[in-house]
Structures are given as structure tokens and as C-alpha cells.
């Protein structure tokens, strides 16, 4: 047990951020003030149930809680929208204005004109900001009781992944990370867990165990990431947007050198070769025909062909294919980076083909070529009830729904109705910087939001005056999770729940989302129905009862609250699709054919060249083959900096000191532009321009530059961003199937300032 000064109180708490890890922390409180955070004690380390250890971001949260720039009072806009000029108002005025505007929008346009914007700044069973499908929590409960709201589906992080993978498997299932030590070879495609999933019981821990046990680890990424540097035996750089060409060439070598598990393909798969195609499909449309050049494009996907496209030497392609084909079990893991591209659906479906060709699906140490999965803990949520608005839009297309909502149909991804029927007129933006900072083409987005005749009212509830908050009509100061109580759950191979107690009283005039919704419900006539007379802790007691009903070992409420964390001890790792492989007749895949659909009849029926029935390489707009490269010769990708969680913690000086915000530029590209490390550079294209410090490094391949995403957009009087926010440069063009975020697909030029 850690030594604690007698005048300090130790309080269980956590992180609640979107970093793929919820970590257990102890708050050290003296005289009601948080003085420091330390890793919460969870007993001895165990390989199958490791401790959820916080990273530097989690341990630095005191600087976030006590930041002098925290919002203190409700604010009302007094200048043009977007200028960021506000006046302090009372809570009485703020709530009166919000209630009146909600009522006006509902009466004038209907509830489908009210949109809850996508955001992931808060996770919790009461206060969750990420609300998809029939999402639960305080805010959707309030909006549903008001008559409903326009919902979104998908995420900015994984739209292509969640939509495309089911076309292959019917479901999306991943192997437990705890199974990785059973692999002999692990190949990570566009996956960087050492920076994106640092804390918690996460993948890097299991990768290190696998390496210690003798597994070889290969990372394929345009950037020599921390994962490649700290965990991998080999780094293979590849041009952004060309991963499908690399996979196609790997498949070609497997075919040519007879390294294919044909019996597995014959038994479990649809569409690998012409002998296993659905009835009525013309010859030449199988995956094998595409690879061998027997299909429509008449191009064999040889290593020489792929080298010209991807920049990966053909000798490396042949060697990698042989390693994958001859080493079993082999775990092929995909990250989310490659699916945030112009045709991001394609690599999501392509990597599982390699897993099938090598017979690695459903076995220990192998996997389906998807992302890691694992056990899940079921916990209660604040019930939201029923949303009377049937319509849903892809979360990435909300700006289009402001401008052209009346015309949006299924062709633009609308679900639940034939036509959206109205434009978005009111946006509630809670714990989200997606209103501006995290959305594509910031300058175009700002022009849309600045027009008060389009979206007529915007309310923002946050801790800081973010770039998004500057576009609000009313700003409400939020409490941090240290100033309220909630439960967060997570699964990263093991399943666990953390109870974070209130560490300190709310600062200034800050209020929680449950408090605000309760007050507004009173004004709008359904206060008693909304709260049911329950405090936040009353609700949490009910949520724990749900968890206890699913898990007989889950502790009593007071014990759970006192100890702060409960972890389920897994009996064994999850092996994705193990039952389907073991009992194909009794447990078919959840696809229409019951098989792994390497050829998708559902996609074939769409008759859309950008959505082929077998995964293919499609040259990307603003990719390496786009003629626009003559003007903007560098491919620009964003990556997740370990000093931020998206844009959260951007304003923490301590974390900036640990990893300064900078552009990654290869020495060859720097020399051509007479740039040196530490120089200020202009990065620009037709959509915008930003200023950023240069980091010259061989850790990025030539022809590619990388900007850490999440920096707060800070335009000068001429509209040039002075902080280096990558979305100044990114393009709004949803992907063809998932209508997802393609924000890693950009061509730019870099010049010395």
C-alpha cells in the first residue's frame, strides 16, 4: 500500500477520455484540493488480467482541472458568430434562452431539425457524450422526452471499419490481445497502439509479452511510429492510400508460390476463386481473378506493379508474403489509420482475405485480420427512452445536413426515412470540439456555421473556450469528472468498470449535464418524469444492479464505490469466429451465405465502381496518382499525438513540453525546400494554410508529411492558422460506402516561412 501523508485523503477516480483506455487513478486531496494523481493500486500484475496503468496524460489531469482558462460562467454571444466575443449572463438567462430556442425550433421545423453533435470528450454511464444508435445517458434522455432529435451513426474514428467489416464476416469480432503471445508472427497494418492506446490494459502490453516469447513483429506505416520504434523488429513504409495495392501483391505471391490454404478457402469462403462464386455472377469477378489480372482491369497485381504504386520494394513484398504464408499462427492486425482515407472501406475488407488465404481465422495466435476484441462487462445506463425522430445521418455529414438537409436521402447515407425533409437548425454540442476543430475543411465549416440563417441556434457545453465554443450562441461551463460522480467501463482484452468519486466541489458556476438537463426539463414541463426524483448517485446504484445481474461476482455498490475498480477475470482469451470454424454447419457466419464473403453479393448489387464486390486498390483522389500532385506534391497525413486525446489537453503546457507540436518532414523533402529542424513553415493547399514548426526526421517516408491532429485552430486576421490544425487542410468528401471521414487523404505543399 502506498504511503499517504496524514493530511491527504485518497479518493478513487479515473480517466474518462477517448484514448482507448480507461485507467484507474487515486486522487490525493488536501483541504478539498486535488494536489496530485497517482496510479490506483489493483493488486499484483497478472498476464491475463493486467493493471490499468495511467499514462502521462492521465497523471497530468490536475493541470487540466485547475487550468486558469476554464470556463466559469454562462456566456452569450455578442458579436458575429465565430468571432468569440461573449458576455457573462446568469444561469437563469442561459436556461431561459435555450428552452425558448428549443421550443421555437421544434414548433417551426420539427424535432428532426435538432441535432446532437458527435463528440467523445466525456465517457460515463450518465454523462456520456458519444451517443450512437439508441444511445443512453442524460442528454439523449432529455432530448427524447422533448420529442426527439436527429441522430447520427458511425464515428469519425472508425466509420469505414464498422460498416465494411460486416460485409465480410457478418459481424465485427476481434481476438483478445491476451492471445497475441500465442502468435509466431504479428503484422500491424496502419496500427500504432504504443501512442494511441498507451494506458490501460492495452495492446502494447500484450505485444511486448509476445515479443518476449519470440514472436516477430512487423509494422507497416508511412511513419516510423513509437510502436515501430519500441516494439517492432521491422518497419515497412508505404505510401498513404496504397495499402490495398500492397495487400494485393502479397496475395499474388501467396498464389504464385502455392502458400494458400486452399482447403480453408474451399470450406469457409465465398468468392475466392471462380469455383466458389455465387450463381449468376459473370466470370472474372472472383478475388483470385482480380489478383491475377483476369478481371476487368486486366492487370496482374505483381510485386513489381505494387512497388510502383506503394513505394515498397518488390523484394520486400515477396519476403513479407513468404513470412506470412510460411509462419503459423500469424496475427494480422489493422489499425484505424488506413480506413480514414478516400476509399477506406477497401483495406478493411482486404486484410481479412490474407487471414483467410493463410488459414489463420478461428485459431489461437491467429485472427480474422481485424482489430483486437475481447471480453465485455455489461453495466446499466441512464435510460434514454424512445427517440420519436426516425431519421439518422452519418456523423461526418452534419455540415451537409445544415446546407442541404431537405434533399438528403439514402444516397447521402440517410437512414430511417426516405428523405431528411429539413435542414439542421439547432445544434447541441456537448463535450465536443467536432463543431469546428475536428471536422474536415475548417474554413468551409466556419463559413457554414457563421451564417445564422442556416443553423439558427448553437449551444455548447464544455470546460474551455475551444475553437468550437467560439461558434456558440450560448456557452455553458461544464464540470470535470473530478467534480461529479459516474461510472466508466471499458474492454481491452479484459472487461472492467471504474467508479470515479467526486474529488472536489464544482468550480465557479459550472454545472453537470444531468443538472442542466434537469433544470431545462423543469422549464419545458417534464422535470419529474426526467429525474424520477433521483440523484446521480441514485442512478448509479441502479446501474450497478444491472452489472450484478450479469456477473455474480460484481461487488455491492458501496464496496465498488470504495475500491473504485472491478475487473472481470477472463477464463481464456476470446478467439474470434472460433465456433464458426470449428462447427461450420451448426454455427455459420452471419452473412447471407453463411460463409466468409470475400466476394460480397450485397456490394455487387450496388453496381458502384467505388464499392467493388471484392476489395480492390482504387487510386485515391489527392493520392499519389492524382495529377494535383504537380501543384501539391506532398501527401499529408494526421496522426494521434501521445500528448493529446484528440484535442483534449491541447492547452496543457506540461504536455506540450513533453512532445511539442510539429510537422514531420523527411530530410530529402526538407533539403529540397531549404528547411531545417526548428524552422517555421507554411503548409497549404486550396482549402487553407497553416503555420507550424518543422521536425526533420527520417522517421517519415519521402513524399509524405505528418501533422499531429488535435491542435486548436487559431486563425489570424487573414485566416491563416497559427497553431497548425491539420483540418485547415483536410477535405470534406465522405467515403462512398460508409460516408465516413477521409481526413488522412490530402495533398499539400510546404514552404519556408
Amino acid at each position: 500500500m502506498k504511503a499517504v501523508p496524514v493530511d491527504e485523503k485518497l479518493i478513487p477516480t479515473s480517466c474518462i477520455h477517448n484514448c482507448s483506455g480507461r485507467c484507474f487513478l487515486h486522487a490525493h486531496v488536501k483541504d478539498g484540493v486535488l494536489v496530485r494523481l497517482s496510479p490506483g493500486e489493483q493488486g499484483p500484475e497478472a498476464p491475463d488480467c493486467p493493471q490499468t496503468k495511467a499514462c502521462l496524460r492521465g497523471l497530468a489531469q490536475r493541470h487540466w482541472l485547475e487550468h486558469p482558462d476554464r470556463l466559469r460562467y454562462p456566456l452569450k454571444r455578442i458579436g458575429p458568430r465565430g468571432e468569440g466575443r461573449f458576455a457573462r449572463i446568469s444561469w437563469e438567462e442561459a436556461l431561459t434562452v435555450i428552452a425558448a430556442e428549443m421550443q421555437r425550433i421544434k414548433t417551426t421545423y420539427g424535432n428532426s431539425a435538432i441535432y446532437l453533435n458527435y463528440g467523445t470528450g466525456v465517457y460515463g454511464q450518465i454523462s456520456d457524450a458519444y451517443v450512437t444508435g439508441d444511445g443512453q445517458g442524460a442528454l439523449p434522455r432529455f432530448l427524447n422526452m422533448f420529442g426527439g432529435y436527429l441522430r447520427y451513426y458511425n464515428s469519425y474514428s472508425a466509420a469505414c471499419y464498422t460498416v465494411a467489416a460486416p460485409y465480410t464476416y457478418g459481424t465485427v469480432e476481434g481476438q483478445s490481445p491476451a492471445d497475441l503471445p500465442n502468435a509466431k508472427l504479428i503484422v500491424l497494418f496502419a496500427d500504432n497502439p504504443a501512442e494511441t492506446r498507451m494506458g490501460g490494459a492495452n495492446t502494447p502490453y500484450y505485444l511486448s509479452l509476445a515479443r518476449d516469447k519470440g514472436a516477430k513483429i512487423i509494422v507497416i506505416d508511412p511513419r516510423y511510429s513509437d510502436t515501430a520504434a519500441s516494439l517492432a523488429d521491422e518497419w515497412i513504409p508505404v505510401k498513404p492510400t496504397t495499402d490495398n495495392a500492397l495487400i494485393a501483391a502479397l496475395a499474388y505471391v501467396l498464389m504464385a508460390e502455392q502458400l494458400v490454404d486452399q482447403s480453408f478457402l474451399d470450406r469457409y469462403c465465398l468468392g475466392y476463386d471462380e469455383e466458389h462464386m455465387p450463381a449468376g455472377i459473370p466470370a472474372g469477378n472472383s478475388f483470385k481473378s482480380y489478383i491475377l489480372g483476369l478481371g476487368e482491369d486486366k492487370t496482374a497485381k505483381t510485386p513489381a506493379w505494387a512497388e510502383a504504386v506503394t513505394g515498397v520494394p518488390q523484394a520486400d513484398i515477396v519476403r513479407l508474403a513468404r513470412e506470412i504464408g510460411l509462419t503459423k499462427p500469424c496475427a494480422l492486425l489493422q489499425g484505424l489509420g488506413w480506413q480514414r482515407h478516400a476509399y477506406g472501406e477497401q483495406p478493411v475488407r482486404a486484410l481479412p482475405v490474407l487471414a483467410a488465404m493463410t488459414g489463420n481465422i478461428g485459431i489461437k495466435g491467429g485472427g480474422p485480420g481485424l482489430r483486437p476484441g475481447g471480453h465485455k462487462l455489461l453495466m446499466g445506463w441512464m435510460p434514454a427512452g424512445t427517440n420519436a425522430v426516425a431519421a439518422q445521418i452519418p456523423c461526418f455529414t452534419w455540415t451537409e445536413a445544415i446546407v442541404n438537409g431537405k434533399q438528403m436521402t439514402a444516397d447521402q447515407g440517410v437512414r430511417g426515412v426516405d428523405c431528411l425533409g429539413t435542414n439542421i437548425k439547432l445544434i447541441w454540442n456537448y463535450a465536443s470540439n467536432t463543431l469546428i476543430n475536428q471536422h474536415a475543411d475548417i474554413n468551409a465549416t466556419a463559413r457554414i456555421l457563421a451564417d445564422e440563417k442556416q443553423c439558427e441556434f448553437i449551444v455548447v457545453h464544455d470546460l474551455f473556450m475551444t475553437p468550437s465554443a467560439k461558434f456558440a450562441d450560448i456557452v455553458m461551463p461544464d464540470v470535470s469528472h473530478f467534480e461529479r460522480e459516474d461510472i466508466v467501463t471499458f474492454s481491452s482484452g479484459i472487461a472492467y468498470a471504474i467508479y470515479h468519486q467526486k474529488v472536489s466541489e464544482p468550480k465557479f458556476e459550472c454545472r453537470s449535464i444531468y443538472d442542466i438537463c434537469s433544470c431545462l426539463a423543469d422549464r419545458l414541463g417534464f422535470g419529474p418524469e426526467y429525474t424520477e426524483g433521483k440523484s446521480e448517485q441514485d442512478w448509479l446504484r441502479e446501474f450497478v444492479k444491472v452489472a450484478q445481474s450479469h456477473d455474480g461476482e460484481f461487488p455491492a455498490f458501496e464496496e465498488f464505490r470504495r475500491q473504485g475498480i472491478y475487473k472481470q477475470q477472463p477464463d481464456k482469451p476470446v478467439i474470434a469466429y472460433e465456433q464458426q470454424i470449428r462447427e461450420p454447419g451448426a454455427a455459420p457466419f452471419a452473412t447471407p451465405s453463411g460463409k466468409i464473403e470475400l466476394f460480397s453479393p450485397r456490394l455487387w448489387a450496388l453496381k458502384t465502381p467505388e464499392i467493388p464486390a471484392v476489395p480492390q486498390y482504387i487510386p485515391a483522389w489527392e493520392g499519389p496518382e492524382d495529377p494535383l500532385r504537380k501543384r501539391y506534391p506532398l501527401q499529408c497525413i494526421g496522426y494521434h499525438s501521445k500528448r493529446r486525446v484528440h484535442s483534449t489537453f491541447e492547452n496543457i503546457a506540461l504536455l506540450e513540453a513533453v512532445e511539442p507540436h510539429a510537422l514531420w518532414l523527411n530530410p530529402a523533402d526538407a533539403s529540397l525546400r531549404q528547411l531545417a529542424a526548428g524552422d517555421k513553415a507554411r503548409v497549404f493547399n486550396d482549402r487553407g494554410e497553416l503555420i507550424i514548426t518543422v521536425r526533420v526526421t527520417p522517421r517519415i517516408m519521402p513524399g509524405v508529411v505528418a501533422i499531429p491532429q488535435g491542435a486548436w485552430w487559431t486563425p489570424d486576421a487573414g485566416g491563416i492558422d497559427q497553431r497548425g490544425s491539420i483540418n485547415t487542410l483536410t477535405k470534406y468528401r465522405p467515403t462512398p460506402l460508409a460516408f465516413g471521414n477521409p481526413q488522412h487523404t490530402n495533398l499539400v505543399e510546404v514552404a519556408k516561412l
Side-chain angles (χ1 to χ4, degrees), residues 427-571:
I427 294 176
W428 190 304
N429 191 83
Y430 165 58
S432 170
N433 207 359
T434 309
L435 193 65
I436 271 287
N437 210 79
Q438 302 303 103
H439 193 55
D441 197 347
I442 281 178
N443 289 313
T445 302
R447 290 190 291 271
I448 292 170
L449 293 177
D451 186 351
E452 299 172 41
K453 294 180 180 178
Q454 296 200 73
C455 184
E456 297 178 6
F457 187 70
I458 300 173
V459 58
V460 168
H461 187 200
D462 212 318
L463 271 73
F464 297 99
M465 184 57 72
T466 64
S468 293
K470 291 180 180 179
F471 282 80
D473 297 299
I474 296 290
V475 176
M476 298 183 293
D478 194 12
V479 297
S480 76
H481 66 288
F482 297 116
E483 298 160 320
R484 57 176 174 80
E485 298 204 354
D486 209 336
I487 296 170
V488 291
T489 62
F490 198 65
S491 174
S492 52
I494 59 170
Y496 57 92
I498 299 174
Y499 192 111
H500 62 80
Q501 294 187 28
K502 182 187 289 187
V503 171
S504 60
E505 291 302 313
K507 296 183 182 301
F508 315 114
E509 294 185 11
C510 300
R511 290 192 181 184
S512 72
I513 190 65
Y514 183 62
D515 185 12
I516 287 169
C517 290
S518 300
C519 292
L520 284 171
D522 280 337
R523 280 171 166 75
L524 294 167
F526 52 89
E529 294 83 1
Y530 178 77
T531 65
E532 298 182 16
K534 296 172 185 173
S535 68
E536 288 172 292
Q537 192 175 115
D538 292 334
W539 286 110
L540 295 174
R541 289 178 183 275
E542 293 194 2
F543 305 162
V544 167
K545 290 178 182 178
V546 174
Q548 291 169 334
S549 71
H550 292 283
D551 181 352
E553 300 297 319
F554 201 96
F557 176 81
E558 294 298 344
E559 174 62 16
F560 174 47
R561 185 176 183 273
R562 183 193 64 78
Q563 69 187 28
I565 187 169
Y566 171 75
K567 295 189 289 187
Q568 286 181 343
Q569 186 79 32
D571 295 330

Side-chain angles (χ1 to χ4, degrees), residues 215-230:
K216 181 176 182 180
I217 300 175
I218 300 172
V219 169
I220 300 172
D221 195 308
R223 196 174 66 95
Y224 188 59
S225 65
D226 282 11
T227 302
S230 63

